[in-house]
């Protein structure tokens, strides 16, 4: 399995019930994910790839999230903290009245989404499948969103 669609927590729980049942039947499951807790929850063996090359094979239950992340990126992941005393007043991303129909039957319909992000240097559509990211990006370009204050 690769790139499962965005699921609600209840749908994800149902997916894992089915996968664990298949696992109990002795069936092999190839599960590709960067979500470390899912890997630890489901997998008996994990093969870590970085840059398309095998880095390690391990038992994910015997590893910490930090050790798995270190294998994945090649360095220790430090705690991320916001800069102290920094005023966050200028919006970095503004989306105004975004509506979008899904490109496939399992996609999510967006209706009149408006938001402002303050205090971020970049944004990402993490968690969206690549086709949905491209579709959102195209819709943003068509609608003039997202925009930053400098671009408005």
């Amino acid at each position: 399995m690769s790139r499962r669609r965005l699921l609600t927590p209840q749908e994800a729980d149902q997916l894992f019930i089915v996968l664990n049942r298949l696992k109990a039947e002795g069936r092999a499951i190839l599960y590709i994910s960067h979500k470390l807790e899912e890997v630890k929850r489901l997998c008996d063996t994990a093969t870590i790839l970085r840059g398309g090359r095998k880095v390690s094979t391990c038992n994910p239950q015997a590893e910490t999230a930090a050790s798995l992340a270190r294998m994945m990126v090649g360095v220790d992941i430090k705690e991320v903290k916001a800069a102290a005393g920094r005023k966050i007043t200028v919006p970095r991303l503004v989306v105004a009245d975004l509506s979008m129909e899904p490109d496939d039957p399992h996609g999510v319909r967006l209706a009149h989404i408006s938001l402002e992000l303050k205090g971020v240097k970049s944004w990402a559509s993490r968690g969206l499948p690549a086709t949905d990211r491209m579709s959102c990006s195209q819709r943003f370009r068509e609608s003039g969103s997202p925009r930053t204050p400098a671009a408005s």
Side-chain angles (χ1 to χ4, degrees):
M1 274 188 77
S2 177
R3 295 187 183 191
R4 66 175 174 84
R5 285 288 204 204
L6 293 175
L7 301 176
T8 66
Q10 297 82 6
E11 291 169 330
D13 287 341
Q14 289 299 312
L15 172 65
F16 285 115
I17 288 169
V18 171
L19 292 175
N20 281 318
R21 185 171 50 230
L22 292 170
K23 180 178 161 181
E25 292 173 2
R27 298 176 191 245
I29 300 168
L30 177 61
Y31 191 78
I32 300 170
S33 180
H34 65 278
K35 297 181 179 186
L36 302 181
E37 292 309 315
E38 289 182 1
V39 171
K40 289 175 68 76
R41 178 177 170 188
L42 183 65
C43 301
D44 296 322
T45 304
T47 299
I48 311 297
L49 303 176
R50 185 176 346 114
R53 299 195 185 278
K54 178 182 166 188
V55 173
S56 181
T57 298
C58 65
N59 173 350
Q61 287 85 26
E63 300 291 335
T64 65
S67 67
L68 287 169
R70 185 180 321 108
M71 286 184 251
M72 291 170 68
V73 299
V75 296
D76 285 330
I77 305 296
K78 305 280 191 233
E79 184 179 358
V80 178
K81 294 183 181 179
R86 182 175 170 194
K87 289 190 177 183
I88 302 170
T89 58
V90 177
R92 303 286 185 160
L93 171 71
V94 177
V95 176
D97 200 37
L98 174 67
S99 295
M100 186 172 114
E101 294 297 327
D103 289 340
D104 70 51
H106 302 291
V108 176
R109 182 178 176 271
L110 303 178
H112 308 291
I113 305 294
S114 295
L115 61 95
E116 286 188 8
L117 295 180
K118 296 180 180 180
V120 295
K121 291 185 179 180
S122 64
W123 70 282
S125 52
R126 187 174 148 195
L128 287 176
T131 55
D132 290 344
R133 282 195 304 271
M134 290 185 294
S135 183
C136 281
S137 295
Q138 177 64 33
R139 183 60 58 98
F140 283 157
R141 284 191 295 278
E142 292 169 359
S143 69
S145 291
R147 67 185 193 290
T148 61
S152 23

